[in-house]
Amino acid sequence: MPHPRQRPRLLILSFFDISIDPRVMKQVRLFAEEYAVTTCSPGPRPHPDVEHVELDVHWARPRGRMGNAIDDLARAREWFGWSYRQTPIVQQVREKLHGREFDAAIANDADAVGIANDLVGAARVHADLHEFFPGLPQPDNLLGERQRRYWTWLVREHCAKAASSTTVGAEIARRYGEYGLTPGVVTNATHLRDLPVRETGSPIRIVHSGNPFRDRGLGEIMTAVAQTTTDVTLDLYLMKHNEVELAAVVELAEKLGERIRVLDPVAQSELVETLNGYDVGIHVLPPTSENNSLALPNKFFDFIQARLAVIVGPSLEMARIVSEYELGVVTADFSEASIRAALDTLTIADIDRAKRAADAAAPALSSESQVGVWKRAVDQIIERQGVRA
């Protein structure tokens, strides 16, 4: 049995920049004090109290003509194990973490679990799956079908072998059961805020934050706001990752009139406090993919911590919570007409009632009520080895 150490060694691995990923940052903050945490991801060190191994997203080992030919054959024959091992970021993690020892690891998302299993041992790995990977949107062609089979292979071959797993919602957890997993649930809730419940005035101030992707229903929301008989405004705090999509949203806002403004994004550390100045948070997300139909995103919980009323479409997870806690309105469907119908019947009294409900639900729907699931999972991995914090 290993000798006890003052601080067990924990690897937190992600193939995306941890410093701008709210979900993984919760993991870092949760474990940084009690564990000797090493983070490994692209981007800068996410926390002053952790060691960081930075990955280069542009790194690739030259394969040569023969290597490229084998890679092409592996893709065509669906030798998924070979293709995974040759993925540049997987190879880079193997090289940069070679020779290091960890008592446990949290691997974020399906593509990081395999290399974590190899380096640390599957019995020491907790897999945190941010989406339902077999349901990720893919082109409806042979390449898309092969990619779906690859994601399914990753889940069955690697994620199902990890010591434990979590995902973002109850329905996604249930569906992962078909692939040999029994995930716990850690929602994308933000941390508990102590913010006022502001009285609603006129015009009613509606807000949305996120990416400017048109397939996420922004056009329908904006048009409904422009046409409703209720006195409302809409502010959109949109990221600038996709300039083409953003320009299209700005053009539509200018066309629809002065009720709608597109504003620069707000830092995550300031977002909830900024949202607190509004009345209603809106996110009517069309079910254009299986993951969209099951979505329970950060912004939904941001609205609740900001003490806003909420308008959502009939998305399974969001609609369930809105109805359970009486947080606002679930539209009949995802169409512009249904959004406008919800806005046409919106009253200040209803909004104030939903704001008070958000205030009452804020503790239960905060990250503090969720992250204990991660803590228990990692603690159990450590305890099985006889290593204590």
Side-chain angles (χ1 to χ4, degrees), residues 50-119:
V50 304
E51 179 186 5
H52 184 57
V53 178
E54 185 173 351
L55 302 176
D56 180 359
V57 294
H58 303 295
W59 182 94
R61 178 186 292 118
R63 297 286 293 141
R65 183 178 300 176
M66 180 61 71
N68 288 332
I70 296 173
D71 291 345
D72 291 342
L73 180 62
R75 282 191 291 270
R77 299 289 181 87
E78 298 191 0
W79 297 341
F80 292 143
W82 174 275
S83 296
Y84 179 77
R85 290 190 297 272
Q86 301 307 314
T87 303
I89 199 164
V90 170
Q91 292 184 327
Q92 189 180 174
V93 171
R94 187 182 301 279
E95 287 192 6
K96 292 200 170 187
L97 296 181
H98 177 72
R100 291 173 175 255
E101 294 186 358
F102 299 98
D103 300 304
I106 301 176
N108 285 278
D109 286 331
D111 47 359
V113 177
I115 184 61
N117 288 351
D118 286 349
L119 293 174

Side-chain angles (χ1 to χ4, degrees), residues 7-311:
R7 300 175 74 206
R9 300 162 299 182
L10 174 66
L11 171 67
I12 298 179
L13 174 65
S14 175
F15 289 171
F16 299 94
D17 185 346
I18 290 174
S19 70
I20 59 174
D21 187 324
R23 185 175 180 87
V24 188
M25 281 303 303
K26 292 171 200 167
Q27 298 170 8
V28 175
R29 287 190 291 265
L30 176 65
F31 290 103
E33 183 174 344
E34 186 176 340
Y35 282 71
V37 174
T38 298
T39 52
C40 181
S41 77
R45 182 170 64 163
H47 191 285
D49 296 334
V50 304
E51 179 186 5
H52 184 57
V53 178
E54 185 173 351
L55 302 176
D56 180 359
V57 294
H58 303 295
W59 182 94
R61 178 186 292 118
R63 297 286 293 141
R65 183 178 300 176
M66 180 61 71
N68 288 332
I70 296 173
D71 291 345
D72 291 342
L73 180 62
R75 282 191 291 270
R77 299 289 181 87
E78 298 191 0
W79 297 341
F80 292 143
W82 174 275
S83 296
Y84 179 77
R85 290 190 297 272
Q86 301 307 314
T87 303
I89 199 164
V90 170
Q91 292 184 327
Q92 189 180 174
V93 171
R94 187 182 301 279
E95 287 192 6
K96 292 200 170 187
L97 296 181
H98 177 72
R100 291 173 175 255
E101 294 186 358
F102 299 98
D103 300 304
I106 301 176
N108 285 278
D109 286 331
D111 47 359
V113 177
I115 184 61
N117 288 351
D118 286 349
L119 293 174
V120 181
R124 298 185 179 191
V125 172
H126 177 82
D128 187 50
L129 305 173
H130 302 188
E131 298 184 85
F132 182 60
F133 282 87
L136 286 176
Q138 301 295 338
D140 190 18
N141 55 29
L142 292 176
L143 182 61
E145 291 173 5
R146 184 171 67 196
Q147 186 63 34
R148 278 190 286 270
R149 289 192 291 272
Y150 176 68
W151 283 117
T152 299
W153 174 84
L154 280 176
V155 170
R156 292 188 184 278
E157 180 66 20
H158 295 303
C159 300
K161 293 178 180 177
S164 54
S165 59
T166 44
T167 190
V168 298
E171 181 61 22
I172 289 179
R174 187 189 69 78
R175 296 193 185 190
Y176 267 127
E178 302 171 13
Y179 299 84
L181 286 76
T182 55
V185 174
V186 178
T187 67
N188 283 320
T190 188
H191 73 82
L192 181 64
R193 270 38 172 227
D194 182 15
L195 292 173
V197 179
R198 302 185 187 278
E199 290 188 7
T200 306
S202 185
I204 296 166
R205 302 186 68 209
I206 303 174
V207 68
H208 175 90
S209 62
N211 287 301
F213 302 140
R214 285 169 290 182
D215 66 350
R216 296 190 177 183
L218 288 183
E220 289 81 356
I221 292 171
M222 294 165 69
T223 304
V225 165
Q227 295 180 351
T228 181
T229 56
T230 304
D231 188 13
V232 300
T233 64
L234 171 65
D235 282 355
L236 300 158
Y237 292 92
L238 300 180
M239 304 297 289
K240 297 183 177 181
H241 300 317
N242 190 312
E243 293 183 1
V244 174
E245 295 269 17
L246 180 60
V249 174
V250 170
E251 181 180 357
L252 178 59
E254 292 173 348
K255 176 182 176 182
L256 291 174
E258 61 184 14
R259 279 185 169 184
I260 301 167
R261 297 190 301 173
V262 178
L263 304 177
D264 288 338
V266 175
Q268 187 67 35
S269 60
E270 304 170 3
L271 179 58
V272 172
E273 286 71 18
T274 300
L275 296 175
N276 182 241
Y278 290 86
D279 302 309
V280 179
I282 190 167
H283 186 45
V284 182
L285 179 65
T288 53
S289 70
E290 190 167 10
N291 276 285
N292 276 3
S293 70
L294 302 174
L296 194 55
N298 294 315
K299 63 173 66 65
F300 177 77
F301 295 100
D302 291 342
F303 295 156
I304 295 166
Q305 290 304 323
R307 276 48 173 193
L308 304 184
V310 180
I311 297 175

Side-chain angles (χ1 to χ4, degrees), residues 314-337:
S315 302
L316 187 64
E317 295 278 17
M318 286 189 282
R320 175 181 59 80
I321 294 175
V322 168
S323 298
E324 178 181 350
Y325 290 93
E326 299 181 340
L327 299 172
V329 179
V330 178
T331 62
D333 56 45
F334 301 93
S335 68
E336 174 192 316

